[in-house]
Amino acid sequence: MRFGVLGTGMVGQTLAGKLVSLGHEVKMGARQAGNEKAQAWVASAGPSASAGSFAEAARFAEIVINATAGAWSLEALTAAGAENLAGKILIDVANPIAPNSGMPPQLSFCNSDSLAERIQRTFPASRVVKTLNTVNAAVMVNPALVPGRHHMFLCGDDATAKSEVAALLVSFGWPPESLIDLGGISNARGTEMYLALWLRLWGVLGSSPFNIRVVSNDF
Amino acid sequence: MRFGVLGTGMVGQTLAGKLVSLGHEVKMGARQAGNEKAQAWVASAGPSASAGSFAEAARFAEIVINATAGAWSLEALTAAGAENLAGKILIDVANPIAPNSGMPPQLSFCNSDSLAERIQRTFPASRVVKTLNTVNAAVMVNPALVPGRHHMFLCGDDATAKSEVAALLVSFGWPPESLIDLGGISNARGTEMYLALWLRLWGVLGSSPFNIRVVSNDF
């Protein structure tokens, strides 16, 4: 498959690297074609890796991943171009962290809205799936870093898109039974607001990879 | 110990009943002395149970529990009286759910503030500890309803108060190693915002009692 990974930070590089290792073709998108971090990644990642502008990465891709900083994601996706995103699965892994909001940081918006909903509203022809935003980059692509059973959430309005994303997560190492479908895209409010607890657990646990397991008699 | 449980709903009745069963004296507080639900509870709970106004319950108590609906908690605590709450541990188990905010409901405020912080700011002479707001009433007092290992968070600015509340949680059945101290009272933002995810998990799991376990190599 051809993936466009928008974002050159830790999350973008980690996801792009994993996709290449799984045999996919990946174009990393940045604000400007020729971005240094993207070029360095291409040099290290081999012939299936390439880089370009947000628009070039989105145009290239069959599946687009938003791994930009949440505060700038709508701007980045607008630069990518609605016409280059139309009809495609758009995996949103970002959290709308408010810049300069202290430590632990706050969200730019939440509760009555979410980044994933804003993206779906702004790009109604795209098939937005929210997932992976509840763990750090290393765990996203290597869930076995966290021992035993733990869960990954996904939500979105397009059931077929969610199935394809679930299969992608399984290819990353997430066991099928670890995936919890929360329903439509508005449920991203739940996983984005969980960031407030995640940040505090991170404060307690330090650098140790962690995640949560939902525990019940049925689950 | 003498407890004042503010609130006559499911959470208040469950906590008050557990406290009586553990040998404590409990006065349930309501907006009006003579509240029917409080009177019915007293009739069923035996000689260690009594009821009164919010102020009477707070005055009676060595430890006060806020189990009122979060939207009205500050009003209820104001009626209880700062002088009756001063110097006392005030356990806040409420979530600031916005009335008439749809399903799943939204919070009245979050992200840059929390109910527990508002309570601590409004009653600076009280020793506020936030806990138990991440599980339903049945699990609060019977954590074994959820199988295996799972966690309960607490936070507050007074370390001694947190220790006493931790001991109370252990008496409810929470294993000491299940308790995670998140730090100062502002960390209640994390556990209150988790409600957004809890509500959606509740939607997936239905009536089955559930909780989360934090999973890492260290924890």
Side-chain angles (χ1 to χ4, degrees):
Chain A
M1 292 277 277
R2 292 194 312 278
F3 284 83
V5 174
L6 310 186
T8 62
M10 168 79 83
V11 173
Q13 299 230 2
T14 303
L15 289 169
K18 181 69 172 186
L19 290 165
V20 165
S21 79
L22 291 171
H24 300 292
E25 290 183 75
V26 180
K27 190 182 283 291
M28 181 176 284
R31 197 176 300 252
Q32 304 286 342
N35 175 286
E36 278 186 23
K37 281 156 73 181
Q39 296 297 335
W41 174 74
V42 169
S44 71
S48 299
S50 61
S53 66
F54 287 138
E56 288 165 344
R59 195 177 306 124
F60 169 83
E62 297 166 277
I63 296 179
V64 177
I65 299 180
N66 173 42
T68 62
W72 315 115
S73 290
L74 281 173
E75 191 183 320
L77 290 164
T78 299
E83 69 282 11
N84 296 323
L85 300 168
K88 296 179 181 175
I89 292 174
L90 173 49
I91 305 176
D92 175 33
V93 306
N95 285 306
I97 296 174
N100 308 314
S101 59
M103 280 303 290
Q106 299 174 18
L107 295 172
S108 294
F109 46 83
C110 60
N111 197 32
S112 59
D113 204 358
S114 62
L115 177 60
E117 286 170 277
R118 289 191 181 198
I119 292 173
Q120 184 64 83
R121 283 201 304 274
T122 308
F123 302 95
S126 298
R127 304 151 73 200
V128 180
V129 177
K130 185 93 196 191
T131 193
L132 292 177
N133 63 310
T134 54
V135 295
N136 74 12
V139 176
M140 287 181 186
V141 302
N142 190 2
L145 288 174
V146 177
R149 196 186 297 187
H150 52 101
H151 288 106
M152 178 47 59
F153 309 104
L154 65 172
C155 65
D157 292 340
D158 184 307
T160 307
K162 276 193 289 195
S163 295
E164 292 189 43
V165 173
L168 181 68
L169 294 174
V170 170
S171 78
F172 283 4
W174 291 93
E177 65 274 17
S178 73
L179 305 179
I180 299 181
D181 182 349
L182 294 175
I185 196 68
S186 70
N187 294 299
R189 294 178 200 180
T191 62
E192 293 181 14
M193 290 170 75
Y194 164 72
L195 182 73
L197 182 56
W198 186 92
L199 286 164
R200 288 158 175 94
L201 293 172
W202 183 50
V204 170
L205 291 163
S207 58
S208 178
F210 70 93
N211 192 13
I212 54 172
R213 170 178 170 182
V214 181
V215 189
S216 84
N217 281 305
D218 301 341
F219 218 59
Chain B
M1 292 275 277
R2 293 193 311 279
F3 284 83
V5 175
L6 310 187
T8 62
M10 168 78 82
V11 173
Q13 300 229 1
T14 303
L15 289 169
K18 181 69 173 187
L19 290 165
V20 165
S21 79
L22 291 171
H24 300 292
E25 290 183 75
V26 180
K27 192 180 283 288
M28 181 176 284
R31 196 176 300 252
Q32 304 285 342
N35 174 286
E36 278 185 22
K37 280 155 74 181
Q39 296 296 334
W41 175 75
V42 169
S44 71
S48 299
S50 62
S53 66
F54 287 137
E56 288 165 344
R59 194 177 306 124
F60 168 84
E62 297 166 277
I63 295 179
V64 177
I65 299 179
N66 173 42
T68 62
W72 316 114
S73 290
L74 281 172
E75 192 183 319
L77 290 164
T78 300
E83 69 281 12
N84 296 322
L85 299 169
K88 297 179 181 175
I89 292 173
L90 173 49
I91 305 175
D92 175 32
V93 306
N95 285 306
I97 296 173
N100 308 314
S101 58
M103 281 304 287
Q106 299 173 19
L107 296 172
S108 293
F109 45 83
C110 61
N111 197 33
S112 59
D113 203 359
S114 62
L115 178 60
E117 286 169 277
R118 288 190 181 197
I119 292 172
Q120 185 64 83
R121 283 200 304 274
T122 308
F123 303 96
S126 297
R127 304 151 72 203
V128 179
V129 177
K130 185 92 195 190
T131 192
L132 291 177
N133 63 310
T134 54
V135 295
N136 75 12
V139 176
M140 287 181 186
V141 302
N142 189 3
L145 287 175
V146 177
R149 196 186 296 186
H150 52 100
H151 288 106
M152 178 48 58
F153 309 104
L154 65 172
C155 65
D157 293 339
D158 185 306
T160 308
K162 275 193 289 194
S163 295
E164 292 189 44
V165 173
L168 181 69
L169 293 174
V170 170
S171 78
F172 283 4
W174 291 92
E177 65 274 16
S178 72
L179 305 178
I180 298 181
D181 182 349
L182 295 175
I185 197 67
S186 71
N187 294 299
R189 294 178 200 180
T191 62
E192 293 181 14
M193 289 170 77
Y194 165 71
L195 182 74
L197 182 57
W198 185 92
L199 287 164
R200 287 159 176 95
L201 293 172
W202 182 51
V204 170
L205 290 162
S207 58
S208 178
F210 70 91
N211 192 12
I212 54 171
R213 170 178 170 182
V214 181
V215 189
S216 84
N217 281 305
D218 301 340
F219 217 59

